[in-house]
Each structure stands twice: as structure tokens, then as C-alpha cells.
């Protein structure tokens, strides 16, 4: 009986092309097994059925556990140990390769994949640590840890009740984590799920729901933030400023590139980057600014780009109380046609499709900038840079209303000499993120894969 | 005439009082019916003029060479000068031919056979020297016109600037009075100046400081600038798509001293001068386009008759026939409109035909473009090669909707002038209506009911004392129906938009289109009525063309006016604006590619 079971397991493994090690171990058993007449191993289905029943048997009987114990020696299969496996295999280097290796070690260690549910849960937890939480191939590899065909319901009763609830729940959990990281499953995922749980299972339904919504939500954000933000602070500032300004005419100017210099006294002088943005209409507004009224440099204001926070400063003025001066109509303005009709009739109410918009008194923003250092001296450099294109700034009093608020939260680690705020990175708890644009993901067809 | 069309809507009483163009059909008859004629002597004069010019263009002008070398050869220029074509409208006492607008239009038909020559001549006399002609004083005329008329001096019109097309406020060129008050110093640069490199005399518009009621203000003034004054430099000739033989370049003025006596009109009065020049320069485009299409019909019909496919000549195919019919109708309508307008302008007094001229310009430039393209299509691939002149005509023709005021701007002019005119008459009535005056409302409702129940509109164009020949009765009825419908449409537009109409460009465009069609209908009705009555050659063909055009225009007008109604399902304006907004916000076509995938 024992050897029959071994054979069946071997065959199923072969069919799935999983293990090579096992086949070597059990190959000696083959002749005796094949010599047994009437053994139902001709088709995969039959094999699976036997396999299924055997695993059901194994619940009631301690035999297979003993058998496995014989094989693998003294391995404890507790949750703690699964975690240890990660620590063990990937002690220092936590990369995708080592993560994959851990998974491989687990799959090869035990042909029955004992404790795979615990292992998968542990692996899911470890994924961000290894930096593979957004890698679809890793998720697929993880799903591959589930034994195939075993949990597929065979009859209507099994189908009616929750067949292998723990395993199904675990499968759902894998998909759930994918969903949380905005990873769209691919065809491989689907094939695996069908092989593992069958096509009406809970994980499969979860998969279908994800596949229903994710493509539809992929482009809901008209202002997507790329997954990889530029490393260079100047590039990052350029990106952030164009994002805030959202004006195709706005021009980004780098007033100062960051560099380190050694002063005469031998000290390092770090010159922070200063990047500003201004659009032609802002220049026009600034040119019309009343020079007797001050303009303000205000900030820093935070801008979150995914997990990164950057700060920016604005040059603005108080709202002008004076009424808007409308240009008087000049009949000699246009050579070709009258710009106004001399008719004493207003637009009919029925055709007035304008919305009643309440005007908010908000001062004009003339320019914005980002800098590696938020002190007045640095920002003054920005203003003098602006002055070259906006001569009016020479006559207008400029007041600095700087706030050191957000910087205090960062603790004493940062000193004054270094860049005071470049990027504050915060570790987010895994919040549900929008579906990212997966450039890396190969587009595959699912048509014809429905089972 | 325009007034007539616009005002007819208001029915009888109000329209009779309309001053500008005289309103009721009775007066309308005097304006456009009968079709203007030339006297016998003038007809003879035309004969004498046309023959040598035609001969010259057939034998001496090598259009392909002009196009290729981007230059009109000096011998051709001399020939044109000898024919007197540089002073066609300059009075005889100044050495010109002193032609009327009608004869000028007739000659334009021939000069249009070469786009480069036509543009060079037009830049010289339709706008270049026009300022001196219409607003110059006697001394200026005596000094400049003789040499300009003989072609010894060439003129140019310098208005456009890099930052200013139609916008007078953005003209940067400035003329400052010298300290001794004897001359102005002009500084600035003008772009896209036809004849810019060859011109000796230029009409230049510049900003001048004018003190009016003690307040200093900048006003536009017009100056006669001789290249000989010094400080005038012209840039590299523009490399253009068409009319390559004509010279177009930038002209820069660097402290050019211009004596004060060279101011055209009065200082600060340049705006009016510019407007008058521009408005009077456009009417000849109708006959030019007609001349070109007539030539094209000759060229293509020969090909269509000789080329055989499936043992049938091309001329037997319906789709080819359609193209010829289209060209014939267009040429006919353009001709009718052009000579009607020219005839109206030749009437004694100073009739303001600027709207009519703008209508002619739009219709002929757009019709010309379609016809030239269809003519090329008849020849297929052959037409696309440089072995045939069609591709050159297509290129030359493309400038027509652009220069002398773009068609878009002229549409605004036509529609707004019309609306202004109607507004004057209808404001009182609409105000009563808005106040809830039941009497007025009932009156209008009654009128609409009447027309809805098929009471025919009758402006007296047909019938016993009608001005339209009975053969054209049906077309005349269609015209009258259009006019009546247009009346109610204009009224409701005024009611709905009032003076905010200025910003409703899509609506104004349709109003302008209807007006263009109506004017075209009037012109063909008038012309063919005359032809039948005097027994002109092939007048039955004219009747056919007129009826075809009128029924076509009738449906187009009805569609346009349906679009102008409130909540009309034919009207896509809201969507059009939205599409444009979304595209322009992104400055790109924003749809995802059909081959893109999301999963």
C-alpha cells in the first residue's frame, strides 16, 4: 500500500514537472509498483483521484506523516520554522533570487508539501522585505507551491461545501495581497488557480473579480505618479513642479544645480539645488502687480508622491481688493469685424448656461520652486534668479513667510549643514493602492483559456 | 443688399424704414434687379482691352517657369506694364487706365490664370496704391500715382506684423514726430508683405501719438513710404506653397524719415484707411476664381472626352460628369456674384459693398479650392504630376481662403454686420416680447402659424410685376422661403443671445453661411433673368445652372437654419466644443491606441 501511494505521488509530480529529486529517490520503488496489476494510473484524472483519496486517508491515518518524517528527518513544521527558513536561506541578502531560492528549497524539501499553507502565509509576510511584493512571477511561484489537483472538488457535494477551506482561503490571501499592491494577475495565475482549486473555487472567483475591475481602473487616475521616482533631486523637483503647475506652457528653470565645494577655510559647503517653475501667464500677472504691495515667499508646503514627500515654496501676493478693470471697448481695435454688437439686448436666461461660481479671494501665485534647503538665503537666490525674467521683482518688497513645521518631525538626525529635506520616505502600511501601470507585465491573452 | 435680406424677416412696416440698404423687395429690385449692365461703349472698351491681355497670357506667360524659378521674369513684368495692368483703376489723368470695378473684374479673370502675377498685381493696386487712391490728397496723387500706374514703381501694403493680424492694438511699428515737426521716424517690422522686396512705394501703418481733448492716445496712421527715404530693408523671400512667383517677405523700418505730407488722410486716421482698403480689395477674387475654373473646365474636359476606359470615354461616367457640373455651377455663381457686386460698386455715390465683397471672397475662395481639387481628380495620377498645371493651381489656390482677411474672420464680419443691422430694427420688438407684451407675442405666433399652414411667402419677386423670369419662379420661391425662415431665425437668435452673440462663433458661422447662400441665390436669379430677357447665348443653360444651384442652396440653408434652432438635434455645437476643449487641454489626440491593452 505504501509503495503504491508513493508511485502515485511520483506520477503526479512527474506530470506537473515539479520535482526531480524525488523521482531519483523513489525510482527504486517503481518496478514493484508497476508490477501490481490493475493499478489505476493510466490517466491523470485517475491518478488524481487516487491521490485525493489518499490525502483524505492521510488525515485519518498517521502513516504518511511517518513516511515523510523518515524521508526528511527531524523537521518541525510550525509557523515559526517556516519563517526561519527565510532567515536561514537568505541570511543577509534579501533579493528576488534568494526569495525564489527559499521557495524552491521548500518545494523540494518535502514532496507532500507539508505545511505549505503556513509557508505561503509566511512568504506573503516576507515579500515586502525581499522587495518582491510587486512581482507577478513571484506570486505565481508562490501559488505553484500548492499541490495541484488535490483541492479540486470532484462531486457536487464537495462543490456545494467549502472544499479545503484553509487552502482556498490561503489562495485568496495570495490574490488579496496582489490586489493590495495593484498587481494584475496574468494567464499563468489563472492556469495555476484552475489546476489547484478548480474553476469554480473561491480563489478563482477572486481572480475573476480582480480581472473585472483592475483593467477598468487602470487609467482612472489622470495624473499617475510613476512607480519609480527620479533619483536625482533636480529631476524629482522638475517632475513635482510640473505636476503641481499642470500647465503645458510653464517653464522649469534650474537656478542652481547641487554641488559641494570646499571653502577657503577647508569646510565643505553644500549648495542645494534650486528649481523653479513659472508660466507666461504668471509672468504677465506678476508684471501687472502693484509694486507698492509686497509679495510673499511662503512654504514649505508638502507634496506627496506615493511614499515620498517633497516640499515646495510659492511666490504669491495677497488678493487685490481693487475691482477688475475691464478694458474699455475700442471700436478701432479690429480691422476686419466689429468686436462688439451695439444692441441693447442681453442674453436670454434660457440660454445662459454658465454656472454660478462663487469667487474665492485667493491671491495670485506667481511662481513656485523646490530647493534642497529651505532657508531664506537659498530662497533669496531663487527670487534673484526670477528677477532676471521678471524685472518688477526689483521694485516689489519681498517678504519671507517661512514655516519650519514639517521639518521638526524628522528628529534631530538632520543637521543644518546637510540638505535639510530632500525626501522623507515613510513606510506605509499596505494600503490599497491604485492599479499601477505595469509596464513590465507582458500582455497576454486570456481568450480561450476559460476552463 | 445685405440689409434687404436681413430685414425682410421683420416683414413690412419696420423694414421699409430701414435706411442702410433699403429693404422691401421693391427697393431690392433697384439694388440687384435688373442685373447691372455695362454700356455699349464700355463693352467695346472691354473687347479692346481683353484681347491683347488674353493673347499676352496665352503666349508670353510661362507659368510653370515662374512657379519653378519663384520669380516673374523681367520681360513678363515689362509686358504687363506695357499693357497698363499696373494702373488699371488709377484714373486716366494720373496715367492709369481708369477702369471701373466691373472692367477691372473682367481683366482679373485673365490675370488669374497665373496666380503669381495675379497676386503681384493685386498687392500693387488692390491694396498697395489703394490708400493713395481713395484717401490721398491731390499732391500725393500727383506725385505718386503716375509712376505707380505705369509700373515704374511698384507698391506694397504693410500692415501685418509678427504680433498683429487683425488686431490693431498690437501693432508695434511706431512713427514718432521729429523735433522740428517736419517728418516722422518710423521704426518696426512688417511681415508677409507681398511685393516686399520689389516695392518702391509702401503704404505703412504705424502707431502715432495723438492728443485728443488733452489726452494722449496712440492711434494708427497711414504713411506713404518710399524705399528711397532710406532705412527700409527687406528680408529673405518666403518659400511658399503656392503663388511662388510672387514676392513675399519681411520688411523692416529702421528710423525711416517720412515727411509729414506723406501721411495718408489725417494723423490718427489710419484705421479707417486700412479698413477701407481691405474692404475694397476683395471683390475681384470672385471673377478671378471664375476665370480660373473656366480655364480648368477647358483643360479637363478635353482629357475626359479623349481618355477611354472599358471602351467608354471618361465623360460618360456619372461621377466624372458630376465634377464638371460642379465646376460649371460654381463658375457661374462666382461670376454672377462678382459682376453683381462690381456693378453695385460702380453705381454713383460711394455705395458700401464691403459685406457683399466679403461674401464674394469667401464663396469664390472656397468654391475655387473645391473645383481645382476636383479638376485634378478627373486626371487622377496625371493631375498629381508636374507635367500638368493642375497641381500648381491647387497650390496657388490654397492662398485664397487665407489672405485678404481669412474666411473665418470675414464670416464674423458678415454675420456680425448683419446681426447689428437686424438688431437695430428688432430690439424694440424683442424687448416688448421679453416684457411679456401679449400683443407682440400673438402677432408673432400668428405669423408663424400662418407660415406653418403653408401660406406662401411673397416678396413680389415673381408674378405679374415680378423681376424674376417665370422660368426661375420655383427658385425664386425657394429664395423667398429661405429669406422668410431666415427672418424668424435671426429674430430668435437675437432674442436668445442679444449682444453676447459676438462670442457664439459657431452660430455666427452658420448665419454667415446662410447669408452667403442667399446672396448667391439673388445673384444667379438676377443674372439669369436678365439673360433670358435679353436673349443671351445659351441662356437655357443658365436657367439650368441657376435652378440647380438654388435648389441645392435651399436645402443647405434649411439645414443650417434648423441647426440654429434651439435644442436642435442637428446641432452638435456642445459636443464640438467639448471635443476641442479636451484635445486642446492636452495639446494632443488623447484616445488610447486601439491596439493597446489594459491587462
Amino acid at each position: 500500500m505504501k509503495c503504491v501511494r508513493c508511485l502515485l505521488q511520483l506520477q503526479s509530480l512527474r506530470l506537473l514537472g515539479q520535482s526531480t529529486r524525488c523521482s531519483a529517490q523513489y525510482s527504486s520503488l517503481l518496478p514493484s509498483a508497476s508490477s501490481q496489476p490493475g493499478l489505476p494510473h493510466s490517466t491523470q484524472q485517475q491518478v488524481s483521484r487516487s491521490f485525493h483519496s489518499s490525502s483524505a486517508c492521510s488525515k485519518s491515518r498517521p502513516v504518511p506523516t511517518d513516511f515523510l518524517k523518515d524521508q526528511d528527518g527531524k523537521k518541525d513544521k510550525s509557523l515559526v520554522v517556516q519563517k526561519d527558513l527565510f532567515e536561514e536561506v537568505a541570511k543577509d541578502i534579501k533579493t528576488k533570487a534568494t526569495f525564489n531560492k527559499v521557495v524552491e528549497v521548500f518545494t523540494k524539501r518535502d514532496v507532500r508539501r507539508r505545511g505549505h499553507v503556513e509557508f505561503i502565509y509566511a512568504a506573503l509576510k516576507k515579500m515586502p522585505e525581499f522587495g518582491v511584493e510587486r512581482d507577478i512571477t513571484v506570486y505565481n511561484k508562490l501559488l505553484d507551491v500548492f499541490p495541484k489537483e488535490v483541492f479540486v472538488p470532484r462531486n457536487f457535494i464537495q462543490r456545494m461545501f467549502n472544499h479545503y477551506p484553509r487552502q482556498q482561503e490561503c489562495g485568496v490571501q495570495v490574490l488579496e495581497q496582489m490586489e493590495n499592491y495593484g498587481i494584475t494577475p496574468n494567464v499563468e495565475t489563472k492556469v495555476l488557480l484552475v489546476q489547484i482549486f478548480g474553476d469554480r473555487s473561491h480563489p478563482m472567483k477572486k481572480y475573476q473579480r480582480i480581472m473585472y475591475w483592475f483593467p477598468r481602473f487602470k487609467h482612472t487616475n489622470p495624473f499617475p505618479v510613476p512607480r519609480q521616482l527620479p533619483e536625482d533631486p533636480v529631476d524629482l523637483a522638475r517632475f513635482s513642479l510640473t505636476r503641481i503647475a499642470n500647465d503645458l506652457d510653464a517653464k522649469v528653470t534650474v537656478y542652481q544645480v547641487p554641488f559641494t565645494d570646499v571653502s577657503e577655510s577647508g569646510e565643505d559647503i553644500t549648495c542645494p539645488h534650486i528649481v523653479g517653475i513659472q508660466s507666461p501667464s504668471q509672468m504677465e500677472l506678476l508684471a501687472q502687480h502693484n509694486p507698492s504691495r509686497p509679495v510673499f515667499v511662503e512654504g514649505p508646503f508638502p507634496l506627496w508622491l506615493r511614499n515620498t514627500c517633497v516640499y515646495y515654496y510659492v511666490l504669491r501676493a495677497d488678493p487685490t481688493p481693487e475691482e477688475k478693470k475691464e478694458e474699455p471697448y475700442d471700436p478701432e481695435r479690429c480691422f476686419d469685424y466689429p468686436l462688439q454688437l451695439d444692441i441693447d439686448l442681453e442674453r436670454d436666461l434660457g440660454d445662459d448656461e454658465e454656472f454660478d461660481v462663487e469667487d474665492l479671494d485667493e491671491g495670485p501665485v506667481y511662481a513656485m520652486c523646490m530647493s534642497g534647503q529651505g532657508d531664506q538665503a537659498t530662497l533669496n537666490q531663487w527670487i534673484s534668479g526670477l528677477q532676471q525674467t521678471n524685472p518688477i521683482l526689483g521694485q516689489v518688497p519681498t517678504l519671507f513667510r517661512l514655516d519650519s513645521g514639517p521639518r521638526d518631525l524628522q528628529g534631530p538626525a538632520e543637521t543644518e549643514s546637510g540638505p535639510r529635506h530632500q525626501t522623507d520616505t515613510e513606510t506605509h502600511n499596505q494600503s490599497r493602492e491604485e492599479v499601477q501601470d505595469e509596464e513590465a507585465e507582458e500582455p497576454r491573452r486570456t481568450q480561450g483559456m476559460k476552463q | 443688399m445685405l440689409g434687404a435680406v436681413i430685414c425682410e424677416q421683420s416683414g413690412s412696416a419696420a423694414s421699409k424704414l430701414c435706411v442702410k440698404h433699403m429693404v422691401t423687395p421693391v427697393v431690392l429690385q433697384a439694388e440687384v434687379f435688373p442685373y447691372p449692365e455695362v454700356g455699349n461703349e464700355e463693352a467695346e472698351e472691354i473687347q479692346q482691352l481683353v484681347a491683347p491681355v488674353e493673347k499676352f497670357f496665352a503666349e508670353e506667360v510661362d507659368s510653370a517657369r515662374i512657379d519653378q524659378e519663384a520669380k516673374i521674369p523681367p520681360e513678363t513684368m515689362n509686358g504687363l506694364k506695357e499693357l497698363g495692368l499696373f494702373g488699371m483703376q488709377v484714373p486716366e489723368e494720373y496715367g492709369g487706365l481708369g477702369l471701373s470695378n466691373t472692367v477691372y473684374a473682367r481683366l482679373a479673370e485673365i490675370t488669374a490664370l497665373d496666380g503669381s502675377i495675379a497676386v503681384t498685381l493685386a498687392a500693387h493696386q488692390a491694396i498697395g496704391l489703394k490708400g493713395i487712391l481713395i484717401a490721398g490728397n491731390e499732391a500725393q496723387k500727383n506725385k505718386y500715382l503716375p509712376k505707380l500706374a505705369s509700373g515704374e514703381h511698384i507698391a506694397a501694403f504693410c500692415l501685418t506684423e509678427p504680433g498683429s493680424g487683425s488686431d490693431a492694438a498690437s501693432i508695434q511699428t511706431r512713427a514718432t514726430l521729429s523735433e522740428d515737426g517736419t517728418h516722422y521716424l518710423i521704426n518696426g517690422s512688417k511681415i508677409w508683405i507681398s511685393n516686399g522686396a520689389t516695392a518702391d512705394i509702401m503704404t505703412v501703418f504705424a502707431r502715432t501719438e495723438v492728443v485728443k481733448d488733452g489726452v494722449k492716445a496712440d492711434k494708427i496712421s497711414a504713411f506713404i513710404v518710399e524705399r528711397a527715404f532710406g532705412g527700409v530693408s527687406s528680408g529673405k523671400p518666403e518659400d511658399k506653397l503656392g503663388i511662388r512667383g510672387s514676392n513675399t517677405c519681411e520688411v523692416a523700418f529702421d528710423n525711416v524719415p517720412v515727411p509729414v505730407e506723406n501721411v495718408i488722410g489725417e494723423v490718427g486716421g489710419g484705421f479707417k484707411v486700412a479698413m477701407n482698403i481691405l474692404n475694397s480689395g476683395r471683390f475681384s477674387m470672385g471673377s478671378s476664381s471664375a476665370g480660373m475654373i473656366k480655364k480648368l473646365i477647358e483643360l479637363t474636359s478635353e482629357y475626359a472626352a479623349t481618355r477611354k476606359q472599358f471602351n467608354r470615354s471618361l465623360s460618360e461616367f456619372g461621377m466624372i460628369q458630376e465634377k464638371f457640373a460642379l465646376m460649371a455651377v460654381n463658375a457661374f455663381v462666382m461670376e454672377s456674384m462678382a459682376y453683381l457686386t462690381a456693378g453695385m460698386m460702380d453705381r454713383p455715390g460711394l455705395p458700401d459693398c464691403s459685406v457683399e465683397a466679403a461674401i464674394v471672397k469667401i464663396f469664390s475662395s472656397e468654391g475655387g479650392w473645391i473645383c481645382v481639387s476636383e479638376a485634378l481628380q478627373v486626371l487622377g495620377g496625371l493631375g498629381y504630376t508636374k507635367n500638368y498645371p493642375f497641381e500648381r493651381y491647387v497650390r496657388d489656390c490654397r492662398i485664397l481662403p487665407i489672405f485678404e482677411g481669412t474666411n473665418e474672420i470675414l464670416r464674423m464680419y458678415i454675420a456680425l454686420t448683419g446681426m447689428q443691422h437686424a438688431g437695430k430694427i428688432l430690439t424694440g420688438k424683442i424687448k416688448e416680447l421679453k416684457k411679456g407684451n401679449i400683443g407682440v407675442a400673438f402677432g408673432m405666433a400668428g405669423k408663424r402659424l400662418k407660415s406653418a399652414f403653408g401660406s406662401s411667402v411673397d416678396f413680389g419677386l415673381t408674378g405679374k410685376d415680378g423681376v424674376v423670369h417665370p422660368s426661375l419662379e420655383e427658385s425664386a420661391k425657394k429664395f423667398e422661403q429661405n429669406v422668410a425662415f431666415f427672418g424668424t431665425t435671426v429674430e430668435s437668435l437675437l432674442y436668445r443671445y442679444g449682444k453676447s452673440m459676438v462670442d457664439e462663433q459657431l452660430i455666427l458661422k452658420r448665419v454667415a453661411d446662410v447669408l452667403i447662400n442667399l446672396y448667391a441665390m439673388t445673384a444667379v436669379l438676377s443674372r439669369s433673368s436678365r439673360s433670358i430677357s435679353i436673349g443671351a447665348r445659351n441662356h437655357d443653360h443658365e436657367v439650368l445652372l441657376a435652378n440647380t444651384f438654388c435648389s441645392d442652396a435651399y436645402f443647405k440653408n434649411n439645414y443650417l437654419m434648423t441647426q440654429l434652432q434651439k435644442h436642435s438635434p442637428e446641432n452638435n455645437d456642445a459636443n464640438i466644443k467639448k471635443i476641442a476643449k479636451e484635445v486642446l487641454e492636452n495639446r494632443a489626440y488623447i484616445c488610447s491606441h486601439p491596439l493597446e491593452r489594459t491587462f
Side-chain angles (χ1 to χ4, degrees), chain A residues 184 211 214-216 218-219 247-249 330-351 441-447, chain B residues 159 165-169 171 219 271 274-275 282 409 412-413 416 419-420 423 427 430-431 434 494-502 504 566 585 587 597-599:
Chain A
T184 316
M211 289 310 280
F214 267 27
R216 281 163 182 75
K218 196 177 169 191
H219 294 293
D247 182 346
L248 292 166
D249 285 325
D330 176 10
E332 298 202 348
R333 177 81 197 259
C334 179
F335 286 116
D336 293 297
Y337 62 92
L339 293 174
Q340 264 186 23
L341 280 177
D342 181 24
I343 302 175
D344 190 22
L345 283 172
E346 295 299 326
R347 200 184 182 88
D348 191 55
L349 283 176
D351 283 284
E441 191 199 62
E442 306 164 40
R444 290 207 191 153
R445 290 170 198 281
T446 46
Q447 285 89 340
Chain B
L159 176 65
S166 296
D167 186 357
I171 282 184
K219 290 264 185 183
F271 183 82
M275 250 181 56
R282 290 179 189 126
I409 272 183
M412 292 289 285
Y413 175 62
L416 286 174
M419 280 298 170
Q420 179 67 64
T427 304
I430 292 172
K431 273 194 167 167
K434 286 204 176 186
L494 278 172
Y495 182 91
R496 285 171 61 193
Y497 297 105
K499 60 183 171 196
S500 73
M501 184 114 59
V502 191
E504 301 289 336
K566 203 173 182 178
E585 251 169 27
R587 301 188 191 172
R597 290 174 57 97
T598 50
F599 61 93

Side-chain angles (χ1 to χ4, degrees), chain B residues 21-216:
Chain B
H21 279 295
M22 300 303 102
V23 198
T24 50
V26 189
V27 190
L28 191 142
Q29 292 170 19
E31 286 270 321
V32 296
F33 291 100
Y35 198 72
E37 281 184 333
V38 292
N40 273 332
E41 293 113 65
E42 213 175 344
E44 242 165 67
E45 189 195 337
I46 292 172
Q47 287 277 308
Q48 281 166 13
L49 273 168
V50 164
V53 177
E54 246 170 8
K55 187 162 170 270
F56 179 78
F57 270 82
E59 292 169 10
E60 313 275 325
V61 176
D62 184 355
S63 296
R65 188 176 146 212
I66 292 175
D67 182 60
Q68 204 173 8
E69 292 174 2
K71 193 176 185 312
I72 303 172
E75 60 270 22
T76 311
M77 284 296 259
N78 286 334
L80 294 169
K81 286 172 189 172
E82 276 161 27
L83 286 165
L85 295 181
F86 277 78
M88 285 191 266
Q89 289 205 280
V90 177
E92 283 170 70
E93 68 247 47
Y94 302 113
L97 296 178
L99 302 182
S100 64
N101 290 313
T102 309
V103 186
Y104 176 72
R106 177 68 186 92
L107 287 182
E109 261 186 56
I110 310 164
T111 54
L113 295 183
D114 187 282
S116 303
I117 293 178
V119 169
T120 306
L121 288 178
H124 170 75
Q125 57 195 329
I127 49 177
L129 58 78
K130 206 61 160 274
I132 305 176
L133 201 62
I134 58 179
N137 56 35
E138 206 50 43
Q140 288 167 346
K141 286 184 182 174
N142 277 324
K143 186 175 176 194
Y144 291 110
L145 284 182
K147 282 189 176 172
L148 287 169
S150 68
E152 191 182 335
H153 282 168
I154 292 184
F157 179 79
C158 307
L159 176 65
T160 309
E161 290 188 17
S164 162
S166 296
D167 186 357
S170 44
I171 282 184
Q172 298 289 331
T173 304
R174 183 167 277 283
T176 33
L177 194 60
S178 65
E179 277 170 21
D180 54 5
T182 55
H183 59 273
Y184 283 92
L185 287 174
I186 297 188
N187 278 297
S189 78
K190 301 281 184 181
I191 54 165
W192 299 325
I193 307 304
S194 298
N195 297 348
T198 52
D200 310 281
I201 311 291
M202 282 164 261
T203 310
V204 182
F205 293 86
R207 223 154 243 293
T208 43
E209 204 169 74
V210 179
V211 182
K212 197 185 171 192
D213 307 332
V215 188
K216 280 185 183 175

Side-chain angles (χ1 to χ4, degrees), chain A residues 248-321:
Chain A
L248 292 166
D249 285 325
K251 210 175 127 232
V252 176
T253 318
V254 180
Y255 295 100
Q256 184 172 298
V257 275
F259 66 98
T260 321
D261 203 4
V262 182
S263 72
E264 286 165 20
S265 54
E267 288 170 43
D268 279 4
I269 301 173
T270 322
C271 290
H273 66 273
I274 308 171
V275 183
I277 192 166
Q278 198 182 28
S279 70
S281 49
Q282 282 175 319
M283 286 171 78
E284 211 173 290
L285 269 178
L286 184 52
Q288 287 163 8
H289 182 80
N290 180 0
S292 62
R293 303 173 65 86
V295 290
F296 305 102
V297 177
E298 286 183 0
F301 300 108
L303 169 73
W304 282 97
L305 302 162
R306 291 194 190 273
N307 298 339
T308 313
C309 185
V310 289
Y311 295 94
Y312 64 95
Y313 300 84
V314 297
L315 176 70
R316 52 165 297 223
D318 275 339
T320 43

Side-chain angles (χ1 to χ4, degrees), chain B residues 299-300 303-304 314 374-384 388 390:
Chain B
L299 291 171
T300 40
Y303 178 83
L314 225 51
E374 288 288 22
L376 187 147
Q377 186 73 21
V378 172
L379 270 84
L382 281 181
Y384 198 66
Y388 287 83
F390 298 99

Side-chain angles (χ1 to χ4, degrees), chain A residues 90-108:
Chain A
K91 273 185 204 97
D92 313 309
I93 324 135
K94 296 191 168 172
T95 60
K96 184 181 171 184
T98 50
F99 190 91
N100 281 342
K101 202 167 165 221
V102 175
V103 179
E104 258 164 50
V105 166
F106 176 81
T107 46
K108 283 179 186 165

